[in-house]
Amino acid sequence: MQAEILKAIQTISNPFLDYFFIILTMLGSSGFYFIFIPIFYWCIDKRLGLKLGLILIASIYINTVIKEVTKISRPIGYPGIRSIFTQSAGGYSFPSGHAQGSATFWGTLMVHYNKKWLWYLGSLVVILVSFSRMYLGVHWPIDIAGGILIAFLIVVLGELIYSILRENPLKFPLYLKILLSIVVPVIFVCIFPHKDIYEHMGLIAGVLTGYFVDKEKFDFTTHGTFSKQVTKFLIGVAVFFALKEGLKFIMPYENAFNFLRYSLCGVWLSLGAPYTFFLLKLNDKKIA
């Protein structure tokens, strides 16, 4: 039945739609989030940027665990199903990482702002990204449904935890916050030591460490003129990707070093970049 659904969807296939849905499916990729979330953290709302990043990485962690446990094969190679842009389809099939990621990201934004136009936009993006995965022949319909359902539960739980922490902020000394920022991600790595988990947990460790140091010592602001915001974004993202790729030439490409590499990238996102913006006078309001 699922194969027949995919075959029915692919009856509309043509070169234009191929390119159209390849572009759309990229809106559910990790590269999109690596570019988009820093905009919130550096230029719009630091706490929202942090919340988006943490909830999304938690979603990726859960998605990876479920995929490795269920080990369901993708429709790639199934008779009668055409699969294209398969480089976007790593690992197992259930649940869809693109559908789950986009529903997590846009769901968090929709709940946070609660604006009608954003609900329409977010819902449309999630539907189109999810449909693109079936059109491209890289996911079964059950993968899409499962990913969206899991994302819904993650968003609800994430908002609940966020509201609790907002009303009862951690009152630990800085050294203990930093220790927890490192130890907790390491524990999650030990629970499920998948290669992708090392990278994502390393990123969380670095981001949280930088966030707590900044909060205690500098507490940077996101205010700035449009031109300054664009400059902040270009500098911040350029250095992030330079670190992410450049450190590969310095450190062995092994799990423990990948954790460290992404940790350093995370520290740049939440501490190095904001302090650089301050030194370059790219924030209208000085750091306290």
Side-chain angles (χ1 to χ4, degrees):
M1 179 178 175
Q2 293 195 74
E4 295 306 313
I5 293 174
L6 293 187
K7 291 176 184 178
I9 290 173
Q10 292 186 341
T11 58
I12 65 172
S13 297
N14 62 62
F16 171 78
L17 288 179
D18 288 353
Y19 287 112
F20 177 71
F21 283 114
I22 285 174
I23 292 172
L24 277 177
T25 208
M26 292 180 181
L27 296 179
S29 67
S30 59
F32 170 78
Y33 305 121
F34 277 141
I35 292 175
F36 207 87
I37 291 178
I39 294 178
F40 281 93
Y41 195 89
W42 296 330
C43 305
I44 300 175
D45 184 332
K46 180 169 62 175
R47 287 187 177 182
L48 175 58
L50 180 66
K51 180 172 76 168
L52 272 172
L54 294 180
I55 291 179
L56 184 63
I57 292 179
S59 179
I60 294 173
Y61 181 93
I62 293 171
N63 183 270
T64 302
V65 171
I66 295 175
K67 280 185 175 181
E68 292 297 319
V69 169
T70 57
K71 296 184 182 297
I72 295 175
S73 299
R74 293 177 181 270
I76 299 173
Y78 190 92
I81 294 177
R82 185 186 69 135
S83 297
I84 59 174
F85 198 51
T86 54
Q87 57 265 46
S88 68
Y92 294 103
S93 193
F94 179 87
S96 167
H98 283 67
Q100 184 176 325
S102 62
T104 301
F105 177 81
W106 289 99
T108 301
L109 285 180
M110 289 187 285
V111 171
H112 182 87
Y113 286 112
N114 197 25
K115 300 290 186 180
K116 184 178 292 187
W117 68 268
L118 187 56
W119 279 94
Y120 289 140
L121 175 62
S123 299
L124 178 62
V125 172
V126 172
I127 290 171
L128 288 175
V129 169
S130 300
F131 185 82
S132 75
R133 304 308 286 166
M134 294 185 289
Y135 175 92
L136 298 175
V138 293
H139 272 296
W140 302 105
I142 191 66
D143 304 337
I144 305 301
I148 294 175
L149 176 60
I150 293 169
F152 171 78
L153 297 175
I154 290 171
V155 170
V156 171
L157 181 60
E159 286 295 326
L160 177 61
I161 295 174
Y162 177 76
S163 62
I164 293 173
L165 291 176
R166 185 176 54 188
E167 295 175 4
N168 304 279
L170 297 176
K171 296 182 180 180
F172 302 142
L174 178 59
Y175 78 89
L176 187 54
K177 291 179 180 178
I178 293 175
L179 182 62
L180 289 173
S181 298
I182 298 171
V183 170
V184 172
V186 168
I187 290 174
F188 277 104
V189 166
C190 293
I191 292 174
F192 202 85
H194 186 271
K195 64 181 183 64
D196 293 341
I197 299 298
Y198 279 89
E199 297 175 355
H200 294 122
M201 289 300 106
L203 190 63
I204 282 187
V207 166
L208 285 177
T209 297
Y211 174 81
F212 287 127
V213 172
D214 165 71
K215 190 70 177 173
E216 186 89 10
K217 302 296 183 179
F218 310 111
D219 200 16
F220 90 98
T221 65
T222 58
H223 305 296
T225 62
F226 178 75
S227 61
K228 288 182 178 180
Q229 301 286 43
V230 172
T231 303
K232 285 160 62 176
F233 172 74
L234 292 177
I235 293 173
V237 169
V239 175
F240 171 80
F241 281 103
L243 283 172
K244 178 175 174 291
E245 298 303 319
L247 289 174
K248 291 180 180 179
F249 297 100
I250 301 174
M251 300 178 178
Y253 198 74
E254 299 174 358
N255 288 334
F257 286 99
N258 287 342
F259 182 95
L260 178 59
R261 178 164 60 92
Y262 272 81
S263 294
L264 295 174
C265 292
V267 171
W268 165 256
L269 288 173
S270 59
L271 180 62
Y275 191 65
T276 300
F277 303 152
F278 167 66
L279 294 177
L280 296 176
K281 302 185 186 306
L282 295 175
N283 291 318
D284 286 346
K285 185 179 178 182
K286 290 185 178 180
I287 296 175

